[in-house]
Each structure stands twice: as C-alpha cells, then as structure tokens.
C-alpha cells in the first residue's frame, strides 16, 4: 500500500493517478455534479455543441453529455472493476490451488486455462454474452471469465516460483504447516504482482466493456455507458462530432492513465522481472 | 555409554526424475545408507563437493525431505515414525540455518516478524522483549527489529537467520553452509558467533560445508562424503586422511601462507554424474590407488575408531 | 622501462558515485597480481578500468591514467580499445555458466576470437582452437569442440572460457574470481592451468579473488583494496608475513589455518560501507582497532615501504620482517 503512495510521487504516476481519482470521484458523485439528469429527454435542446450551459454539448435527445459521461464513468468503471475483482479472486484461488497441489489437478487447470488463453478476450466475451444475454450482469460475467486465465496463470507461476524459495523451507524447518505457509508466505508474496496485473487488466476491461456497449450488448438504455454513447455518436460523427469524441477521449485517457499508473507501481514494487516471468 | 542426541541409521534418499512422455525415467541415490551418531555438545562437520549429498543429508535429518529408507533418532525417538503433530513438537528441539541469507528470509517480513514466526508456528507464547533478547544473543541492536531483510547486510541477515533458529531454544542445529555466500571477514564473525553460542547454550551442531579448512577449524569430527556415500569419518579435525579422496580434498585446499607454497597437484578428472555411477567405488575413476577390485566392488564404511570406505586406505 | 599494465592514480565514477580513488598498480609479463578485498571494495571495477570497459557500464575515469604497454587508454577510441580487448587482453569471468553462448557450439565460440583478432581463416582458426584446448588438457578436444555448452561440466566450461581468452594470443589475462563457482578439486585444476600459462608463455595475470589461500599459493604481488581505495600493495611474502595495513592484517586473520585453535579466528567488525556512505578520513577507520582522531579526519596518502611496497595508513607497521 505504501508503494501506491510512492507511485503518486513519480511525475507520471501523479498525473495518471490524479486522473483516475478524478474519474472515481465523478463516478461516485455523478448525480450531484451537474444540474441535469442523464435520462430526461429534451428534444428541443438536441445536438447542441459545447456551450457554457452544456460544457460538452448535448446528444440527439437533448441530454447533457457531461452528465451522461459522468454516469457512464459509473457504469464503465464499476462493471470493469467488479468483473476484474471477481476474476482476480477466482483466478487466485484456482491458480494457488494448482500451484500448491500440483499433480493432476494442476494439469487439468493448466489445460483449460491455456485453452481459453489461446482465444482473444473479445471472442470469449461475445460468446458468453450470447449465452447469458446482454446487460451489465452479462458484461461482468463475460469480462470476468475472459480474464480468468490471466490471473490463474500469474498466480500459479508466482506460487510455483515462491515454493522453491529458502524461506519456505525455513518455515517448514520450524514446523510450519501447509496453511501457515500458504497464507502467511506464499499468497502475501504473490499478491503484489497479481494486483498490479489486475489493475492493468482493468484498463483492458474498460475497452472490452466499451466494445460490448458499442455493439449494444452492454448496459441497456437509458443507462449510459461510454461504449453505448460512442455507438450512438458514431452515426452522427459529422453532424455532432462531440457526441462520440468525449466518451472516446474518456475511454482513451482513462486506459492510458491506468497503464501509466500501473507502470509506476511496477517500478515502485520492483516486480518487473516477476511479471514478465509469468506472462 | 550415553545415548547419542542424534543417530542416523542407514539413512537413504533416492530421487527419480523424468518418466514423462519424452524423457526416460532415471534415478539417483543422493544419500546412500548413512550411519552417523552425534553426541550431545558435539560439532560434526560434513564436507564434500557439489553433488555429494551433504545438503540432502542436512534436510533429511530434519525431515524436510522424506527419507526413502532408514531412521533418524532424536534422543532415541525415531522421527521417521512420528505422526505430523508429534513431528511438529519434535521440531522445537531442532533447527536449521540456511546457506543463502538473502532468500532464507521472507522479503515481506520485518525482522520482528521473522523472530516471532517460530512462536506462531509452534503456538507458544512469546515474552515481551524476547525479540530484543534474541537479537542481542546474535550481536544485533534492537533497532533492526523494524527493518526488512533488504535493508540489512548479508552478515546481519545471517545473524537474523541464526536468531530465528535459536528462538525455541533447540538442542540441535543443522548449519547448511552458513557462511558460503559471505565475505571472509563476515564468515569469521559468524563462525565466532556460532562457536560462542555453542559454548553458552550447550548446542550440538551438524555443520555442512565445502570448505575443508573451515571444517577442520570448527568441528570435532568430520564426515567426508563423495557422491552420496560417507567415505571417511575423521575422528579429530587434525587426523591424517586415510581415504585417497580426503587426501585429495586436503591437497586442493590452498593454505593461506605463502611460505608453505607447494605445487598444486590437482585430482584428475571430474565428479561423475550421480545418475550413472560406476558399479564399484564411486571414486575409482579418479583415484591414483584404484585397483580392479575397486572398479567392481563397492567398499563399505568399516566400523573403527577412524572409519574409512576404501580397499586401499593410506 | 614501464610495466605492461600501469594504473597511476586512477579514479573512477559512475554517475555521481565516486567508486575508485587514486588506484596505483603495475603488472609485468610473467607476473601474477592478486587483487583482494571484500565485496564492494572495487576489485571488479579496477579490472573494468584496466580493460577500458568502463563506458559499457556508464563509468568514466575521472583522474589518473591507465597505460597498457605504454599506451594511454584514454587516447584510444572505442575501436582501439576493442582491438586491445581480446587481442592483447583476455578476460575470464567468474561464472562460466553464463559466459558461453548457449546456442553456439563450443569450437565456433573459440574460433571466432582468433578469426576476428588474428585474421585467421576458418581452418587455421579451428586448428588453433584444438591446439589451445589440448594445451588446457581438455580430453577429446575435437569432440568437445562440436559439443554445446550445456553438455559440459562447470570446470570444463571454465577451461573453454580460458581458451577463448587465450585465442587472441594476449599478453595479459584478467581473471575475475575464476574458480569461485567451482568445486575445490576442480578449482585446483584451473589454478594450475592459469599458473602454467604465466610460467610457460610469459603472460601477465591479474587475478581477482576473495580467497587468501589462492593469493598465497599463486600470486607474486598483492593489491589490497578497501572501499574503492588501495590499502596496501606488496610482494606476496611480506604482505602475509608482516602486513603493514591493519586491514590486510585483519583479512589474513579471517582465514582458518592449519592447526589453528578454535576461538582464535577474528572477523572484522562491521561491514564495508556503500559508496554513498563512505566515512571521512581513512575509510577503514570505523572498523579499525588502531583508529584515532587523525584517521577520522585525514585521508592517509600512499607511501612507499622499504621493500618497494605501498601502504595507505597513518599507523602503518614498518612492514620489514
């Protein structure tokens, strides 16, 4: 955790981290930051370019774009981070079990994981949405499963590597049991790289969520999401370019910020070699 | 005669490798039928080159590696027959100091965490101020308790490793090359520390090393291993070698005294692969005294005051 | 006549860290110079400076000069220095496991040195390779030349590394802890080979080691480094018999000798300071029993001893036995 604070002290980390904090802030307080509602239509106000009243303009139904962008941040960030959170949790349990027990269980997990690893995430996500159906739940499940392989692999590799360390043997020589070694040594040491890679994956997940939204498979109207907003704006790109421009920028800047902050964290935690090893 | 603190009986460990789709299964005997008794208060050294099985032996004694066959007796109790809970209790009486002071401490633990771990694992109460006392025992200031391992020097880390080994006041400590990755100046500090602790706490050591000079300085009795088997037990550190391999080891050990310069007369050849040992004496291929018998028949370690496993001892 | 390799007052810095200061060394053909000291004393950096390899690690000589066979290395361009390395100076690294290219056959790796530096053609280079391997007592040289590095033992790999160092027919070999990664019986083989090269071919050998046994048995002269400065530089006999610098004396007392009673081994208290925390005055003073106010305030200069050695200590022992 101290590493997070230290990452803020790097110039890139500070800029990127500042943007991310701002995004989280607007996502949480979206309802109170602007005088408009995200779902009330005002057709007379449609297609307004950015102005003092509507900083980012309005969309084809006259809704304030800034308001929708803030609410969209809520959808995009919460869906991708919850999905990644669940994925990390499951991946760590699966990966730790595979790395710890080894043998047949490990081989079975490895085969399944390598199989899903060989498909692009978007394909897995599309298949899952087709099965579960569109909407936030479907999107979350799709993203969660799509990234499961990554976290399982990473955790497994960490556990396998740490198992051979002398301090594990030292703990055994004191009479430590399996639970002690797993929960007091292996998992805490495996945690940092997994969490950092989870953070980086959240960036990818935002894009994935936007992509699903763009195809109309994500959050359903009138709930705004960045992907769906871009999708609506894509037909109007010449008539009202701001409708697609601002959500697009939001996605791009947020993803870049996540990656920059992740890089700063990796540098602070000094785990570059360990991250690469597992990839 | 009093009962030895530690007694090894025909302790053997074989390792199997391969056996997959593309690699043939192979097996090697890392430790072959080792018999050894260690009296209370004794310092027994084990020397040999890489692959001789000394590190495996160290781990077998503490049952960190399960033996394939044989027995380990601690005060007459066979550790190999103990169930898990009883083994954990027995571990209070034995401890180990590892070679690499960098990887033997969890990088996320503070020194205080490291020192508390034995008590946590053994579910024993830890007195207030115990950590300070433990650090003082190994010559470290109490202020290092809050440090992480990466903030300490190699010598300091090894002292922490020793303090951890001493935490539960064991009788017996296995020292697995505790100074091999340290500078000579620090090595001497650590050896003197271990020597002082032994006198003060009445400890018994099994000291594993590749450095014959160091072992002869520090130990009461010296076990020489070659490719998994004990080839000689020197009853005193200054005893003259009887096995040709021990003699070669002694000649390879360079004296830090230019006035005693001698021509370096190295042993020919290299250590054979443990996966394809010759049928007879494992040393026969490099031995200047080897006869036909040595190449076909494996010499056993005789039971004598100065045991040696050789058909043509010096 | 000046020595083959001469370092005069060499100081080295990497970035803002001043790691070596005023190193004076000389090494002639047919001589073995031991460079000793604890980790962090600057042994390897001194070797890098002698080979003109500092730019590779972002270092530079800030004062003094390195002369090889009369030529000041700083006047040479990178091409000139490259010609020196390999052709005139051979290098043997500490870890033979990583010194060889894993995807090239052994013979080819040695061939390339003599082809590059001596301009030999393929056949002549291979003949030279096999000749060198035979000189290093590598059995079945022709077969080993066709082998891959992973098929060889550590001792055999180190011989290959030595063969590579010799392939350019150098005048000087710099060996950085050449036997540290090897077993003692194999160490003896490698040392015997190195000593033989100096004796038979008149090579100069700079041997970096932490092992005082190796120094005592092999070297003609010994340079003791401490925290980036030269502490003492003398012939091997007197430096062991009557060390002038307290650090040298302390180092020799760290090693158990034949027949030494238990309890008579003395470590050196404390540890080598890092370059960022070098103390003022004599850098050894915090660990020295003889240190006084002068030592804490004033840097001791190198002064000549009656036997031709050098020592940097305010309280040096006369040194003459």
């Amino acid at each position: 955790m101290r590493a997070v604070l230290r990452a803020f002290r790097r110039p890139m980390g500070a800029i990127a981290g500042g943007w991310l904090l701002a995004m989280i802030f607007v996502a949480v307080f979206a309802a109170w930051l602007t005088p408009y509602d995200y779902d009330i239509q005002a057709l007379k106000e449609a297609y307004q370019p950015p102005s003092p009243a509507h900083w980012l303009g309005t969309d084809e139904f006259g809704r304030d774009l800034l308001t929708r962008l803030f609410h969209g941040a809520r959808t995009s960030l919460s869906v991708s981070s919850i999905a990644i959170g669940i994925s990390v949790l499951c991946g760590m349990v699966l990966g730790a079990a595979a790395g710890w027990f080894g043998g047949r269980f490990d081989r079975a997990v490895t085969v399944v994981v390598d199989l899903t690893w060989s498909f692009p995430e978007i394909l897995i996500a599309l298949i899952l949405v087709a099965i579960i159906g569109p909407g936030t739940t479907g999107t979350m499940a799709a993203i969660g499963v799509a990234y499961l392989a990554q976290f399982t692999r990473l955790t497994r590799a960490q556990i396998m590597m740490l198992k051979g360390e002398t301090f594990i043997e030292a703990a055994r020589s004191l009479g430590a049991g399996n639970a002690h070694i797993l929960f007091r040594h292996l998992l805490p040491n495996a945690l940092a790289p997994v969490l950092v890679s989870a953070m980086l994956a959240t960036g990818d997940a935002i894009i994935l969520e936007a992509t699903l939204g763009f195809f109309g498979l994500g959050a359903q109207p009138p709930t705004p999401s960045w992907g769906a907003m871009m999708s609506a704006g894509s037909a109007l790109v010449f008539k009202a370019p701001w409708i697609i421009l601002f959500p697009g920028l939001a996605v791009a800047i947020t993803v870049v910020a996540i990656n920059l902050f992740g890089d700063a964290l990796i540098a602070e935690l000094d785990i570059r070699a360990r991250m690469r090893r597992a990839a | 005669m009093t009962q030895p603190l530690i007694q090894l009986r025909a302790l053997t460990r074989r390792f199997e490798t391969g056996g997959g789709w593309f690699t043939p299964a192979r097996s090697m005997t890392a430790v072959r039928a080792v018999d050894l008794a260690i009296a209370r208060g004794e310092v027994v050294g084990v020397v040999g080159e890489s692959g001789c099985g000394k590190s495996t032996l160290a781990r077998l004694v503490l049952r960190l590696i399960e033996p394939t066959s044989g027995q380990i007796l601690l005060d007459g109790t066979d550790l190999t027959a103990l169930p898990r809970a009883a083994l954990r209790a027995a571990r209070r009486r034995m401890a180990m100091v590892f070679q690499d002071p960098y990887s033997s401490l969890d990088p996320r633990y503070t020194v205080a965490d490291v020192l508390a771990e034995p008590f946590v694992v053994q579910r024993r109460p830890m007195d207030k101020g115990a950590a300070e006392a433990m650090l003082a025992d190994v010559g470290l200031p109490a202020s290092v308790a809050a440090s992480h391992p990466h903030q300490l020097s190699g010598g300091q880390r090894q002292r922490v490793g020793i303090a951890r080994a001493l935490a539960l006041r064991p009788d017996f400590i296995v020292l697995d090359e505790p100074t091999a990755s340290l500078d000579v100046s620090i090595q001497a500090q650590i050896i003197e520390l271990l020597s002082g602790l032994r006198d003060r706490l009445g400890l018994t050591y099994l000291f594993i090393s590749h450095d014959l000079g160091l072992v002869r300085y520090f130990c009461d009795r010296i076990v020489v291993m070659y490719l998994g088997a004990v080839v000689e037990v020197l009853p005193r550190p200054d005893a003259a070698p009887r096995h040709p391999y021990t003699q070669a080891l002694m000649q390879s050990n360079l004296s830090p005294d230019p006035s005693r310069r001698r021509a370096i007369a190295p042993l020919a050849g290299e250590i054979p692969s443990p996966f394809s040992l010759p049928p007879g004496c494992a040393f026969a291929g490099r031995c200047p005294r080897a006869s036909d018998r040595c190449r076909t028949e494996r010499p056993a370690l005789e039971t004598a005051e100065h045991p040696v496993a050789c058909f043509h001892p010096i | 006549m000046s020595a083959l390799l001469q370092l005069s007052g060499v100081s080295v810095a990497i970035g803002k860290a001043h790691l070596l200061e005023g190193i004076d060394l000389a090494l002639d053909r047919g001589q073995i110079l031991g460079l000793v000291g604890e980790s962090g004393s600057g042994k390897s950096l001194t070797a890098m400076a002698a080979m003109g390899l500092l730019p590779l690690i972002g270092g530079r000589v800030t004062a003094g000069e390195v002369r090889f066979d009369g030529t000041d290395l700083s006047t040479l361009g990178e091409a000139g220095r490259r010609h020196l390395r390999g052709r005139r100076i051979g290098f043997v690294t500490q870890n033979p496991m990583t010194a060889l290219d894993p995807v090239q056959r052994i013979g080819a790796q040695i061939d390339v040195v003599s082809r590059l530096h001596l301009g030999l053609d393929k056949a002549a280079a291979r003949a030279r390779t096999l000749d060198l391997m035979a000189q290093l007592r590598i059995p079945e040289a022709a077969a080993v030349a066709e082998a891959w590095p992973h098929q060889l033992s550590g001792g055999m790999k180190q011989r290959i590394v030595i063969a590579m160092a010799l392939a350019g027919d150098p005048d000087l070999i710099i060996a950085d802890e050449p036997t540290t990664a090897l077993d003692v019986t194999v160490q003896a083989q490698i040392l015997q080979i190195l000593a033989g090269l100096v004796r038979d071919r008149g090579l100069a050998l700079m041997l970096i080691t932490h092992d005082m046994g190796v120094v005592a048995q092999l070297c003609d002269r010994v340079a003791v480094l401490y925290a980036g400065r030269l502490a003492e530089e003398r012939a091997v006999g007197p430096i062991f018999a009557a060390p002038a610098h307290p650090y040298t004396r302390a180092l020799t007392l760290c090693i158990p000798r034949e027949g030494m009673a238990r309890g008579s081994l003395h470590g050196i208290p404390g540890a080598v300071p890092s370059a960022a925390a070098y103390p003022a005055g004599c850098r050894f003073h915090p660990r020295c029993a003889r240190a006084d106010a002068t030592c804490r305030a004033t840097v001791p200069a190198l002064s000549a001893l009656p036997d031709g050695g050098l020592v940097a200590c305010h309280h040096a022992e006369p040194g003459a036995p």
Side-chain angles (χ1 to χ4, degrees):
Chain A
M1 281 307 104
R2 257 169 294 168
V4 175
L5 293 180
R6 282 203 309 270
F8 266 108
R9 261 185 243 144
R10 293 171 172 253
M12 272 307 173
I15 297 170
W19 174 268
L20 294 179
L21 284 182
M23 278 299 113
I24 293 168
F25 178 81
V26 301
V28 172
F29 298 104
W32 297 282
L33 289 176
T34 59
Y36 307 101
D37 288 315
Y38 68 87
D39 54 350
I40 306 291
Q41 301 190 358
L43 293 174
K44 272 186 293 179
E45 312 261 308
Y47 303 119
Q48 285 196 9
S51 66
H54 300 282
W55 290 2
L56 301 185
T58 59
D59 69 0
E60 72 273 30
F61 299 114
R63 295 175 296 196
D64 180 57
L65 217 52
L66 187 65
T67 310
R68 289 188 56 81
L69 200 69
F70 286 176
H71 283 273
R74 181 182 276 187
T75 316
S76 290
L77 295 186
S78 63
V79 166
S80 36
S81 51
I82 291 172
I84 292 293
I86 294 168
S87 189
V88 165
L89 212 67
C90 298
M92 280 196 83
V93 171
L94 215 57
W100 178 253
F101 294 112
R104 234 176 257 169
F105 179 69
D106 179 36
R107 255 169 291 167
V109 169
T110 308
V111 164
V112 173
V113 159
D114 285 352
L115 217 65
T116 55
W117 183 260
S118 55
F119 290 99
E121 281 97 5
I122 179 75
L123 196 63
I124 299 171
L126 281 173
I127 295 169
L128 278 157
V129 172
I131 297 170
I132 306 171
T136 35
T137 323
T139 311
M140 274 196 228
I143 295 174
V145 174
Y147 286 95
L148 188 60
Q150 180 181 336
F151 302 122
T152 310
R153 268 176 76 114
L154 184 59
T155 311
R156 177 179 172 274
Q158 294 291 320
I159 298 287
M160 302 278 271
M161 182 190 80
L162 291 164
K163 251 164 83 173
E165 292 280 337
T166 314
F167 63 82
I168 301 299
E169 203 176 18
R172 278 205 191 290
S173 77
L174 299 169
N178 289 341
H180 177 90
I181 285 172
L182 193 57
F183 291 106
R184 296 296 189 86
H185 289 291
L186 294 179
L187 285 177
N189 275 291
L191 204 59
V194 174
L195 288 187
V196 171
S197 93
M199 160 144 201
L200 295 175
T202 309
D204 296 348
I206 288 174
I207 295 180
L208 192 55
E209 193 272 342
T211 313
L212 291 173
F214 192 87
F215 292 143
L217 300 171
Q220 294 303 300
T223 309
S225 80
W226 290 348
M229 288 167 73
M230 285 160 75
S231 175
S234 67
L236 305 161
V237 69
F238 295 110
K239 189 173 179 196
W242 55 88
I243 301 182
I244 189 168
L245 181 66
F246 292 115
L249 278 178
V251 170
I253 297 174
T254 306
V255 171
V256 169
I258 286 178
N259 279 287
L260 287 177
F261 194 71
D263 283 347
L265 257 185
I266 290 176
E268 278 302 330
L269 290 167
D270 204 13
I271 52 173
R272 189 169 297 279
R274 284 172 64 189
M275 303 274 300
R276 204 179 303 127
R277 213 183 140 113
Chain B
M1 172 160 172
T2 53
Q3 177 170 274
L5 180 67
I6 292 282
Q7 188 155 23
L8 311 180
R9 286 189 186 149
L11 199 60
T12 299
R13 171 68 206 210
R14 293 163 58 78
F15 288 107
E16 323 279 337
T17 64
W21 285 354
F22 304 112
T23 45
R26 300 195 297 174
S27 78
M28 62 167 280
T29 307
V31 170
R32 184 191 301 276
V34 170
D35 292 295
L36 181 65
I38 305 173
R40 196 175 283 278
E42 204 179 12
V43 179
V44 173
V46 178
V47 279
E49 296 176 273
S50 53
C52 76
K54 55 189 192 296
S55 279
T56 308
L57 181 71
R59 283 156 179 78
L60 283 174
V61 173
L62 293 190
R63 252 189 86 184
L64 288 175
I65 296 177
E66 294 294 326
T68 308
S69 63
Q71 291 177 311
I72 308 146
L73 277 63
L74 171 68
D75 257 342
T77 315
D78 185 2
L79 295 183
T80 55
L82 286 185
R84 193 175 286 240
L87 180 66
R88 175 179 298 195
R91 287 237 166 94
R92 267 176 228 160
R93 303 192 47 201
M94 317 192 295
M96 182 151 170
V97 176
F98 295 86
Q99 171 176 355
D100 184 358
Y102 293 85
S103 71
S104 67
L105 305 177
D106 190 325
R108 296 183 58 86
Y109 277 33
T110 62
V111 169
D113 294 335
V114 171
L115 298 181
E117 190 175 20
F119 297 94
V120 173
V121 160
Q122 293 284 354
R123 300 189 184 94
R124 298 207 131 193
M126 188 178 178
D127 298 338
K128 234 183 174 178
E132 283 73 25
M134 287 158 76
L135 288 172
D137 270 350
V138 295
L140 287 175
S143 57
V144 304
S147 313
H148 280 90
H150 67 89
Q151 296 166 308
L152 306 179
S153 70
Q156 287 175 317
R157 288 182 217 208
Q158 198 56 295
R159 285 171 191 265
V160 173
I162 293 169
R164 170 176 63 188
L166 291 171
L168 301 166
R169 291 282 172 252
D171 305 311
F172 174 65
I173 300 186
V174 175
L175 306 163
D176 182 21
E177 305 230 29
T179 62
S181 42
L182 302 173
D183 267 317
V184 282
S185 60
I186 312 297
Q187 160 170 299
Q189 290 175 10
I190 297 290
I191 291 296
E192 287 315 290
L193 171 68
L194 289 169
S195 182
L197 288 169
R198 168 193 178 237
D199 295 342
R200 199 149 53 83
L201 305 173
L203 296 167
T204 305
Y205 291 148
L206 183 66
F207 182 73
I208 314 285
S209 178
H210 67 276
D211 183 342
L212 190 62
L214 190 61
V215 168
R216 288 176 84 184
Y217 167 76
F218 187 54
C219 300
D220 303 318
R221 215 146 50 92
I222 299 167
V223 175
V224 183
M225 289 184 76
Y226 189 72
L227 281 166
V230 174
V231 295
E232 179 166 8
V233 181
L234 298 168
R236 292 175 314 283
D238 56 349
R242 292 184 66 207
H243 196 286
Y245 176 65
T246 312
Q247 189 185 40
L249 266 188
M250 286 190 181
Q251 281 168 354
S252 301
N253 190 51
L254 305 175
S255 161
D257 186 353
S259 63
R260 284 204 218 173
R261 226 180 237 209
R262 54 167 186 249
I264 300 171
L267 201 53
E270 300 198 19
I271 302 168
S273 160
F275 288 101
S276 51
L277 280 192
C281 172
F283 186 60
R286 301 174 76 189
C287 182
R289 304 166 81 91
S291 64
D292 287 343
R293 187 183 177 202
C294 302
R295 282 182 268 273
T296 51
E297 195 183 329
R298 200 188 297 274
L301 190 72
E302 62 194 34
T303 45
E305 203 248 320
H306 183 160
V308 61
C310 181
F311 295 124
H312 313 287
I314 299 159
Chain C
M1 202 199 106
S2 69
L4 178 67
L5 175 71
Q6 180 108 40
L7 275 71
S8 331
V10 170
S11 298
V12 169
I14 297 179
K16 280 185 196 140
H18 294 270
L19 299 176
L20 288 184
E21 216 178 277
I23 305 290
D24 283 325
L25 288 179
L27 176 57
D28 243 318
R29 287 187 177 84
Q31 242 188 9
I32 307 180
L33 170 70
L35 224 51
V36 298
E38 294 166 272
S39 337
S41 57
K43 296 175 299 210
S44 297
L45 207 59
T46 305
M48 299 280 268
M51 285 184 291
L53 275 178
L54 289 174
L56 216 66
I57 51 167
R60 62 193 188 280
V61 174
T62 54
E65 59 175 24
V66 181
R67 280 184 179 275
F68 182 80
D69 210 3
T71 314
D72 183 351
L73 287 197
S74 66
T75 63
L76 292 176
E78 178 51 30
R81 285 201 297 268
R82 209 157 45 216
H83 173 75
L84 221 54
R85 300 193 291 264
R87 173 65 189 84
R88 306 289 309 276
I89 305 177
F91 186 51
V92 178
T93 53
Q94 171 167 4
N95 193 342
M97 316 304 160
T98 54
L100 298 174
D101 182 346
V103 295
Q104 264 200 67
R105 290 181 196 274
I106 293 296
Q109 299 195 41
I110 307 176
D111 292 348
V112 71
V113 180
S114 48
R115 292 180 68 182
L116 192 69
H117 289 295
L118 303 181
L120 299 184
D121 62 27
K122 212 170 172 177
R126 179 48 61 96
R128 181 173 168 75
T129 295
L130 294 180
D131 183 43
L132 280 171
M133 289 169 79
Q135 283 180 42
L136 298 180
R137 275 165 276 152
I138 296 170
E140 299 171 63
V144 173
E146 290 305 315
W148 302 98
H150 73 264
Q151 294 170 314
L152 303 185
S153 68
M156 204 53 86
K157 276 191 205 146
Q158 194 58 298
R159 287 181 210 212
I160 301 299
V161 174
I162 295 173
M164 282 170 72
L166 289 173
D169 197 19
D171 303 296
L172 166 68
I173 296 260
I174 295 179
D176 190 353
E177 305 264 7
T179 57
T180 304
L182 304 175
D183 276 319
V184 283
T185 55
V186 182
Q187 158 172 304
Q189 293 170 358
I190 297 293
L191 292 177
Q192 191 193 33
I193 287 171
L194 286 174
L197 290 171
V198 174
R199 196 179 50 237
D200 303 338
R201 298 175 159 230
L203 280 175
L205 173 64
M206 184 194 272
L207 188 64
I208 299 173
T209 179
H210 67 276
D211 186 334
M212 296 301 268
V214 172
V215 175
Q217 294 295 321
L218 228 61
C219 295
D220 302 305
R221 295 196 72 84
V222 185
V224 182
L225 293 177
Y226 185 78
R229 287 191 191 138
L230 192 61
E232 185 167 359
E233 197 278 331
R234 284 169 85 195
V236 67
I239 210 169
F240 276 89
H245 198 288
Y247 179 59
T248 315
R249 172 176 294 279
L251 266 188
T252 57
L253 291 177
C254 287
I255 298 100
R257 296 169 193 233
E258 197 101 354
M260 208 176 191
R262 203 185 282 178
S264 48
L265 202 59
H266 293 288
I268 309 175
V272 182
S274 70
Y278 281 150
C282 173
R283 288 177 181 165
F284 186 59
H285 83 252
R287 304 175 74 187
C288 184
R290 262 190 259 168
D292 60 15
T294 318
C295 304
R296 285 185 280 274
T298 317
V299 179
L302 276 174
S303 56
L305 289 162
D307 63 7
L310 293 168
V311 66
C313 178
H314 295 301
H315 308 286
E317 294 186 27

